[in-house]
Amino acid sequence: HPDLLRVVRCEKPYGKMNLLDRLRGEIEWSSRCISALEAEIPTAIICSCLPLPVMGRIQAWARRRRIPCVYWLQDLQGTAIAELLGKRLGIAGRAVGSIAKSLEHRMLERSDHIITIAPQHEQLLPRRVRNNKRFTLLENWANIEEIPVLSRNNAWAVQYGLDRTTN
């Protein structure tokens, strides 16, 4: 539904390997996202797979306006950042990773609700979130053998030109 979707693009592509360029690009993109939110104030926000700086800025914007913000937790980025940068940059990388983990923990704590995709995520959530039952498990995968293969030639696929693609 195009009326339900807004595409927010960066002014220009930014590199993901240079940490400073990446941070600048993420901050620029988060500003554009917030401008889009201000243009059409939502009643709630669900965020998933956002870089931590983007998530933090959107969440802060939502909190100031008392707009509920749901954190859809796919992966713990802070842990991944700590591991990756620790290997790449040694002690400096571990320090940055520790900050990322702390920021992510605070974002999870400040979320109005959290959707987790794996039972193992529950033990990784902040204690206050667990104690207040502010999370829901929603496993978003299935056993591939149980998924029926249907024809790509259907009205919806044709309407969006997906009947001619291979994904």
Side-chain angles (χ1 to χ4, degrees), residues 64-83:
R64 284 192 302 273
R65 285 153 187 79
R66 294 194 168 106
I67 298 170
C69 191
V70 177
Y71 197 124
W72 189 302
L73 179 63
Q74 293 284 125
D75 295 299
L76 289 168
Q77 295 179 51
T79 301
I81 291 168
E83 288 175 13

Side-chain angles (χ1 to χ4, degrees), residues 110-130:
R110 289 182 174 180
S111 296
D112 293 286
H113 200 80
I114 299 168
I115 297 172
T116 63
I117 64 162
Q120 299 84 354
H121 283 164
E122 180 179 345
Q123 65 193 8
L124 303 173
L125 295 174
R127 182 174 289 120
R128 198 172 350 165
V129 170
R130 292 191 317 264

